[in-house]
Amino acid sequence: MKDFKSYSQNGAGANGAKSGDGANVNQTVNMAAMLAKAFEGKSEAQVLQTIIAQAEQGKRDGTLTNADLDNFYNTLAPLLDGFKRQKLKGIIAKLKAI
């Protein structure tokens, strides 16, 4: 993943796709596979640290909006258990405050 902005511009919506658009479902699946490969062998803490650092940089340089963060959350949240979903929600809230 190069940055959050390029991800959100791929058209992922609240559930990872625009309704009725199979191409966007494939994009989301491909993005998940790419992320999994990029973070293979890294700990959860390392992955989280990388994501947060990229998001903080994007917020500071103006290339990442709160809507982008919402899209990211809405795409990933259904894939997470309750604890991790709450953790992600807290991280998104902190990023929005930047």
Side-chain angles (χ1 to χ4, degrees), residues 4 6 15 17-18 20 22 24 26 28 30 35 37-38 42 46 53 60 65-66 68 70 72 78 86:
F4 282 85
S6 64
N15 65 357
K18 295 177 184 172
N24 284 317
N26 288 337
T28 301
N30 290 339
L35 286 171
K37 186 174 182 176
K42 295 185 177 162
Q46 289 170 316
R60 287 192 175 93
T65 67
N66 287 348
D68 295 328
D70 287 336
F72 183 76
Q86 286 298 86

Side-chain angles (χ1 to χ4, degrees), residues 33-65:
M34 183 182 78
L35 286 171
K37 186 174 182 176
F39 294 124
E40 188 174 313
K42 295 185 177 162
S43 72
E44 182 178 329
Q46 289 170 316
V47 170
L48 189 57
Q49 183 179 22
T50 300
I51 290 170
I52 292 170
Q54 288 181 359
E56 286 176 345
Q57 182 61 43
K59 284 289 286 186
R60 287 192 175 93
D61 66 19
T63 61
L64 180 67
T65 67

